[in-house]
Amino acid sequence: MDSSEQRRKRKRMGRSYLQAKQYLSLRRPLVLCFSFFIFLLFVSSGRFRPASFRPVLTASSTTLSLLSSTASNSILESFAAHSKHGKESPPSFRVQDRILFPDHVLLVVPNRFRQNDELECVYHKRFNGSDDDILEDKEKNQQLDFAVRPVLSTDGYDDFRSIVRCPLPPLNFSTAVDLRRRGSYDTTAATNGTASPWDKVVYEAVIDGDTAVVFVKGLNLRPHKNSDPTRLSCHFGLGNWDKDKDQSGFVLTTEAVTAAQEVVRCLLPRTIRNHPDKAHGIRVTIGYNTSHPRAPVHVTLPSVATIHNSKSHPVQSNPKKHELCVCTMLWNQAPAIKEWIMYHSWLGVERWFIYDNNSDDGIDDVVRELDSQDYNVSRQSWPWIKTQEAGFSHCALRAKDECNWVGFFDVDEFFYFPQAFRRGGGDYGVPGENSLRKLVSNFSNSATIAEIRTDCHSFGPSGLSSQPPQGVTVGYTCRLQSPERHKSIVRTELLDVTLLNVVHHFRLREGYRYLSVPEGIAVINHYKYQVWETFRAKFFRRVATYVVDWQEDQNKGSKDRAPGLGTEAVEPPNWRLRFCEVWDTGLKDFVLGYFADPVTRLLPWEKKSLTSAE
């Protein structure tokens, strides 16, 4: 019986084992799939990202459209998580990017400074002849030689970043400049990269619909013409993978659809297109194929550009668009903008975009004062030298959602309406009020007109040897006989997709045209050749990309140069009497007749300065 019972037990155990084996063989694929799925979730969550693990997604517009929504969301969430983490607890004064300009080093810092922060630029000794070697040397010797210089200036750049301008490094010191608080003895700040040369770098990017508009130096595209975009591509990712070799993250690639001058437009990856709010802070760069016929090479440019939505700037609570806005780029024009803004606001300008190209004359204070007086002025720090055309393209994107019409002209250019200004005011107030806004609004619903051009009359020093205290509209009254150039006001939603412009005007979409205003209706008084003290500053600083500086011995017959001036900033004989062919006091008489205070005879742009002096 014992042996029979044992045989029965062994049979039961054998059957149980076979049943368990069959059960496990059926469930094993499910368990393996589930485990692999958990592993993928763990990897995509960002908790496991060793430096050696770098998954790369290279996707054209076609393949991107095939990505599932779940996969797309996980990629964007990894981007957003990284950006959020960096925003919440950034290292103190961590330098995110550096750009080497001819006369300074620009540092990009991923936080905003406090008003009382006093900073110093820290320069590290160059050891093996290159900036890259400083990292290895630093690990071997934590007491590197260093030098310290005061910062030249600091400024906010956008809602998330600040910029610092440092002097060029001393001889034998690296361009990998760091920051520290003044008086701090922390000389071992971690250098996390080198300085990108300004002549070859991607410097700004904006989301526009289902595309990214990228601003880039170094492609050497043809001025004033469209270029072939087929050899260009956009790359999206975390960090600057050319400089931060240990920075892990996904990379998405799309094709370029347009290219002109310094502006390249690329398709957005589907992940970013579907969730642009989560893509804020993702870096983008431009790649291109070299034209070598036998061995073409794909080159990726260094980048300091992180994408943001053009709608991310705060807009007015009233959803109705402004009828007329103005954008300008300037450098050290703080004394001039009050007269320019107050006068043109009376003509109907409702919104102002000031692109400040490295001014150091207190313009920020003047902008805040004007904005506090309800002139609706905003200042955009634009540290990129000689990029006026690209800056105007950037402004056109920014203003598109706020404005029907945007004028692009300078702070020394004033609209003048001869016919409207001659009519008596009577019971209707000052004659000609809102003339500029009324002019453009007549064509807001036009099926063909997308740009209004107005000729410019160039005024000279008019016999003066010092700046006129009441402003340019009153001080300068003698001009050249024939008009030079023109300036434009455009409907931004009808601009060509390339955003191509030559400062004076934009390229329009196919089917639209410009309208030239007759000189009897409107003209621009361009106070171009002012007293030598003012003009000399202009001689040293040109903001347009494709306009040759006066110091260079090129294009001497161009209208962008002062006739007879040559290439040196030496005052020519009888400068104050030059450029005077016609005495034109029309705008002066009008301004003094209708804008001057009847008691003090002060003009609106003079009153604040008088109060401050008292």
Side-chain angles (χ1 to χ4, degrees):
M1 291 181 60
D2 291 341
S3 59
S4 301
E5 183 65 26
Q6 289 176 356
R7 284 195 296 272
R8 284 195 296 271
K9 287 182 178 181
R10 284 196 296 268
K11 289 181 180 180
R12 285 197 299 270
M13 291 176 63
R15 285 195 298 269
S16 300
Y17 174 78
L18 291 174
Q19 290 173 354
K21 185 176 181 180
Q22 292 174 353
Y23 178 83
L24 289 175
S25 64
L26 292 174
R27 299 300 189 270
R28 182 175 298 173
L30 296 177
V31 172
L32 290 175
C33 290
F34 180 74
S35 301
F36 184 69
F37 178 71
I38 293 298
F39 173 76
L40 288 179
L41 288 179
F42 184 62
V43 170
S44 65
S45 68
R47 298 178 182 178
F48 177 70
R49 287 187 181 178
S52 60
F53 182 71
R54 182 189 291 265
V56 177
L57 290 179
T58 303
S60 67
S61 59
T62 304
T63 56
L64 280 172
S65 65
L66 300 177
L67 292 175
S68 68
S69 60
T70 303
S72 300
N73 289 340
S74 66
I75 294 172
L76 256 295
E77 286 167 3
S78 68
F79 280 150
H82 182 279
S83 301
K84 182 179 179 182
H85 175 74
K87 180 183 176 183
E88 287 180 351
S89 57
S92 180
F93 302 137
R94 178 174 65 88
V95 178
Q96 186 178 48
D97 293 293
R98 302 168 181 85
I99 301 180
L100 180 61
F101 285 95
D103 57 354
H104 70 280
V105 180
L106 183 76
L107 311 183
V108 181
V109 182
N111 53 2
R112 302 300 295 268
F113 297 121
R114 298 190 300 267
Q115 190 171 7
N116 60 348
D117 276 332
E118 295 184 351
L119 306 177
E120 293 176 326
C121 306
V122 181
Y123 304 86
H124 304 282
K125 194 76 172 181
R126 190 194 301 269
F127 277 78
N128 295 332
S130 72
D131 289 342
D132 293 329
D133 294 328
I134 194 172
L135 296 176
E136 181 179 352
D137 290 324
K138 204 162 195 176
E139 294 175 357
K140 297 177 181 178
N141 180 9
Q142 292 298 320
Q143 301 299 323
L144 286 176
D145 292 340
F146 69 95
V148 177
R149 299 287 186 273
V151 302
L152 298 175
S153 63
T154 64
D155 203 352
Y157 183 64
D158 54 31
D159 294 337
F160 305 95
R161 295 179 293 171
S162 298
I163 55 176
V164 179
R165 299 176 181 90
C166 288
L168 292 175
L171 186 65
N172 295 327
F173 281 80
S174 169
T175 57
V177 186
D178 281 319
L179 284 178
R180 74 177 190 183
R181 284 190 174 88
R182 183 171 298 176
S184 169
Y185 290 96
D186 179 15
T187 60
T188 58
T191 302
N192 61 347
T194 60
S196 301
W198 168 236
D199 60 352
K200 187 166 290 189
V201 65
V202 176
Y203 59 92
E204 181 59 281
V206 180
I207 293 179
D208 182 36
D210 59 357
T211 64
V213 181
V214 185
F215 299 81
V216 54
K217 282 279 187 183
L219 293 181
N220 298 321
L221 302 182
R222 299 178 300 170
H224 318 324
K225 295 181 181 296
N226 288 342
S227 298
D228 180 12
T230 57
R231 70 185 186 98
L232 305 175
S233 57
C234 281
H235 305 266
F236 303 82
L238 296 175
N240 192 340
W241 49 89
D242 279 343
K243 297 195 301 183
D244 301 334
K245 296 295 191 299
D246 61 341
Q247 182 76 53
S248 61
F250 295 96
V251 175
L252 301 175
T253 301
T254 65
E255 59 188 11
V257 291
T258 66
Q261 298 184 159
E262 291 187 4
V263 181
V264 177
R265 187 184 290 268
C266 287
L267 296 172
L268 275 177
R270 182 186 174 191
T271 56
I272 299 175
R273 189 168 65 245
N274 291 343
H275 304 279
D277 55 322
K278 293 184 179 180
H280 200 92
I282 294 176
R283 193 180 297 265
V284 61
T285 191
I286 295 294
Y288 65 95
N289 294 318
T290 60
S291 56
H292 195 283
R294 294 185 179 179
V297 178
H298 187 78
V299 177
T300 303
L301 292 173
S303 172
V304 300
T306 56
I307 61 176
H308 64 273
N309 200 316
S310 61
K311 299 180 181 180
S312 63
H313 293 276
V315 297
Q316 58 178 3
S317 57
N318 183 357
K320 182 180 178 181
K321 283 187 177 183
H322 299 298
E323 186 67 18
L324 177 60
C325 306
V326 165
C327 177
T328 196
M329 185 176 293
L330 51 77
W331 172 72
N332 281 358
Q333 294 287 337
I337 63 173
K338 288 178 66 176
E339 177 184 14
W340 185 68
I341 287 178
M342 288 181 174
Y343 173 80
H344 285 98
S345 293
W346 172 80
L347 282 179
V349 177
E350 303 160 283
R351 176 78 166 91
W352 301 87
F353 299 92
I354 307 296
Y355 276 56
D356 181 7
N357 197 213
N358 299 305
S359 298
D360 57 7
D361 62 347
I363 188 174
D364 201 20
D365 294 333
V366 180
V367 169
R368 279 196 296 265
E369 176 189 336
L370 288 166
D371 197 45
S372 69
Q373 298 174 10
D374 297 326
Y375 283 100
N376 201 4
V377 185
S378 64
R379 169 182 167 270
Q380 168 70 51
S381 177
W382 190 257
W384 322 117
I385 61 175
K386 288 191 74 67
T387 57
Q388 187 175 21
E389 295 88 341
F392 280 1
S393 297
H394 187 276
C395 189
L397 289 173
R398 182 178 174 184
K400 183 168 60 173
D401 294 322
E402 294 188 52
C403 314
N404 288 327
W405 293 87
V406 181
F408 293 85
F409 53 98
D410 299 329
V411 296
D412 59 356
E413 297 169 337
F414 288 72
F415 276 81
Y416 174 48
F417 292 81
Q419 293 181 1
F421 287 4
R422 293 193 188 104
R423 298 169 186 160
D427 297 330
Y428 300 99
V430 180
E433 187 172 7
N434 291 320
S435 291
L436 191 55
R437 186 166 71 230
K438 292 175 182 176
L439 173 66
V440 299
S441 64
N442 288 332
F443 302 97
S444 292
N445 296 319
S446 172
T448 57
I449 304 300
E451 177 184 7
I452 295 175
R453 296 184 179 181
T454 308
D455 287 335
C456 302
H457 277 299
S458 296
F459 281 69
S462 306
L464 302 179
S465 56
S466 61
Q467 297 182 30
Q470 291 185 290
V472 297
T473 54
V474 173
Y476 298 113
T477 55
C478 200
R479 61 173 174 82
L480 296 176
Q481 173 76 43
S482 302
E484 292 183 325
R485 302 291 195 189
H486 62 264
K487 289 301 172 74
S488 297
I489 304 175
V490 300
R491 294 164 68 182
T492 49
E493 74 276 8
L494 300 180
L495 298 180
D496 186 77
V497 68
T498 62
L499 298 176
L500 180 64
N501 69 85
V502 292
V503 176
H504 309 289
H505 56 263
F506 280 79
R507 177 169 293 181
L508 305 176
R509 288 187 187 179
E510 187 175 354
Y512 292 91
R513 62 185 181 89
Y514 66 85
L515 172 73
S516 294
V517 180
E519 188 174 329
I521 295 177
V523 69
I524 292 177
N525 283 8
H526 184 188
Y527 301 104
K528 181 177 181 179
Y529 308 111
Q530 300 186 29
V531 296
W532 180 254
E533 176 187 354
T534 303
F535 187 82
R536 181 173 55 183
K538 186 177 181 181
F539 178 93
F540 283 109
R541 190 69 157 78
R542 308 302 299 276
V543 296
T545 309
Y546 304 102
V547 174
V548 176
D549 287 340
W550 278 314
Q551 299 98 310
E552 299 181 19
D553 190 15
Q554 300 179 36
N555 299 340
K556 289 188 176 181
S558 170
K559 292 182 180 179
D560 292 306
R561 306 180 70 94
L565 184 60
T567 60
E568 297 182 1
V570 178
E571 182 175 0
N574 299 321
W575 173 264
R576 64 188 185 89
L577 300 178
R578 292 192 174 200
F579 316 108
C580 184
E581 296 176 352
V582 177
W583 287 97
D584 184 347
T585 64
L587 186 52
K588 171 186 177 179
D589 296 338
F590 177 78
V591 167
L592 291 178
Y594 288 98
F595 286 92
D597 187 284
V599 177
T600 64
R601 302 305 299 166
L602 291 175
L603 296 169
W605 39 91
E606 293 183 277
K607 293 180 181 180
K608 185 65 177 180
S609 59
L610 180 65
T611 303
S612 301
E614 292 176 347

